[in-house]
Amino acid sequence: MVATPDLSLADLVRDTRDTFEINTDIYTSSDVFDAEMRNIFERGWVFVAHESQVPEPGDYRTASIGTQPVVVSRHEDGQIYVLLNRCRHRGTVVCRAEVGHSNYFRCPYHNWSYANDGELVGMAMAHGWRDDFDKSSWGLKRAAQVAIYRGLVFANLAEGGPSLVEHLAPVRRYIDAWFDRSPAGTISVIPTAHKYPYPGNWKWQAENGHDGYHGNYVHESWQRVLARAGEAPVREIRKFRGGGCTRGFRNGHGLLERPGGLNPAASWTGRMMVTFPEYDQALRQAYDDDYIEFVSARRNIFIWPNLYLFDTQLRVINPINVEATEVYLYVYALDGVPEELNRGRYRAHERFYGPSGFGAPDDVEIFVSNQSGVRARGVQWALMSRGMHRETTNSDGELVGHSTDETPVRALYRQWCRCMA
Amino acid sequence: MTTTVPSATGSLSAAEAEALVHRECRLLDELRYEDWLELFTSDGIYWIPVRDGEQADAAGLVSIVYDDAARRAERVFRTLHTPVLDQNPRSRTVHFASNIEVVDSDTAEPRIRCAQLVAELRPGGDRQVGLNQTRLLAGRCEYRLHREAGVWRIALKKLVLIESEQPLFNLAFIL
């Protein structure tokens, strides 16, 4: 039972040999949303920050796990702690800033103070508390588990379950390749981010980042912009968008992949290697040609449930309520590459993404149009079966579909079912 | 087409500054984006930073908008002449500029400081999500001007929205 007595999981997802359909109440029901917070976001690995966002002891930033406010804090011991942002006394948040540096968090209400590993270190006018008051059990509540993979910090509010490495295992080699576009194998998030809210359900964004079916229609405007700039005729862009593949993985992960290669006419990596000989040299020193080619494919990688790895950004999906979402795009530098290469990436990012970009606002317009449309409850089901008849399973157990097929979104909803069951 | 106010003297007068700022407001509200392009110098920059700072630092960060002439022309082309979903229906706007001050009026690069408020609404069918609601976007504005052939043109327009670091819904019209 997922939500209310009148909604069972079987009523929400139809996954048969011939069809894959989702009951659109999952975008409009507050009961479903509440169940998602409990069963997905509060019981499993959720992305909270990248290590480069809290580089020094004492650095912190606030984030959310589902709808729960947390502080991601680096302690003097160098460890990262994920703490519920709530004073143990009366429930006040102890940290109001987005980012900062401090040796402790002090509650503004009655001056309770916590070290940045969450330990309760002081209470105002301690004489009013019993002598045997055990401060050690009244620290800021810590996430039950915190783990880091290649600088990506994940937290799990629940004990047990798969380890982070087990959670990421099916998609791990693609995550590695994504990081290895940097010859150092690492990224550094830069200080300015793009953020946008939309009055719609969080899953619209989750579904869309690896959807290869919408590009020619939602982004026709973008294709015209590129054509006008002489960068590619619309015909060529459509051919490119028809290439590559989609992949669906266990545990809800998925990706959309565009072909790479070392040919500067056909691949970004190839172009960068010609433009920046230092980059070419550094990549060749770090990897062999086959691996560079593997790395050079452009991939939008969804890591269940709230993170996308994009070519210019870490994209974090923050559910606010059933009809409200905030999306944060943390733009990053590839480490170990010429600064000019990264600056070119930032300009390319600004051109497409963010509230005033030439592409992303069209996607957001679709999300709110979806939210409007599913109010027509006379139709209950949305169809996600494109390519089911032609997708294949490779030797690694990945489902591989045509680049316009709905293979990744089916992986997402199969995980959704496992979590909600 | 010559669009900005001719200047009789070398210094920027308060009246000239006000006329230029008000003209920009009107061109944007009337969707005369191609005329708006003419307000800028050929190397002019239209900048909406995420975080206020020096222009020299913008290249190493991302901004909401950081448009040189080519990108500005592209923005206008996209908005007016391509099938943009995010401007269908189009935004209706009213740009307000006030608290106008002229700074360094006697130099080769005088500046205007002002406050800008934009009211925006996209009209549509009843109860459509994301439409039919008025938004207010407030910011502080700085212009740097150059005089070209007797006409003041914009070498920099920087608009720092008070909510520049907060989540911002689509800004697919020109602020």
Side-chain angles (χ1 to χ4, degrees), chain A residues 60 71 73 75-76 83-95 102-124 129 133-142:
Chain A
Y60 66 83
V71 184
S73 161
H75 187 51
E76 277 67 34
L83 310 166
L84 293 193
N85 190 359
R86 170 189 170 130
C87 181
R88 291 297 302 279
H89 177 214
R90 296 279 194 89
T92 315
V93 293
V94 297
C95 183
S102 177
N103 291 329
Y104 55 88
F105 301 107
R106 194 174 62 196
C107 177
Y109 197 2
H110 301 98
N111 228 37
W112 283 37
S113 301
Y114 302 90
N116 46 22
D117 62 354
E119 191 190 337
L120 178 60
V121 292
M123 304 123 83
W129 300 94
F133 184 89
D134 178 15
K135 280 200 292 200
S136 70
S137 59
W138 289 92
L140 295 176
K141 172 101 171 162
R142 292 176 185 159

Side-chain angles (χ1 to χ4, degrees), chain A residues 194-215:
Chain A
H194 278 152
K195 299 180 179 179
Y196 52 86
Y198 63 87
N201 190 266
W202 66 279
K203 296 186 292 299
W204 301 127
Q205 176 69 86
E207 295 170 7
N208 187 63
H210 48 30
D211 180 282
Y213 192 21
H214 73 282

Side-chain angles (χ1 to χ4, degrees), chain A residues 7 21 54 57 80 106 110 151 160 166 195 248 272 367 369 416:
Chain A
L7 279 179
E21 296 169 44
V54 283
I80 291 178
R106 194 174 62 196
H110 301 98
E166 287 165 345
K195 299 180 179 179
M272 291 303 109
F367 306 158
S369 300
W416 188 90

Side-chain angles (χ1 to χ4, degrees), chain A residues 191-192 194-197 199 221 225 228 326 343 346-347 350-351 355-356 358 361-362 364-365 368 372 375, chain B residues 51 58-63 65 71 74-75 77-78 82 84-86 122 127-129 167-171:
Chain A
T192 51
H194 278 152
K195 299 180 179 179
Y196 52 86
S221 161
V225 165
R228 175 185 172 276
E326 290 181 0
R343 290 181 174 203
Y346 306 154
R347 300 292 81 75
E350 277 165 355
R351 194 179 179 204
S356 289
F358 299 163
D362 287 318
V364 174
E365 183 69 8
V368 296
S372 294
R375 289 177 177 174
Chain B
R51 193 176 288 179
L61 299 169
V62 292
S63 297
V65 172
R71 192 57 49 85
E74 203 166 69
R75 184 176 300 282
F77 168 76
R78 172 187 189 267
T82 69
V84 277
L85 301 181
D86 53 43
R122 292 177 64 209
R127 293 176 303 281
Q128 291 275 332
V129 177
L168 283 161
F169 190 69
N170 287 351
L171 298 170

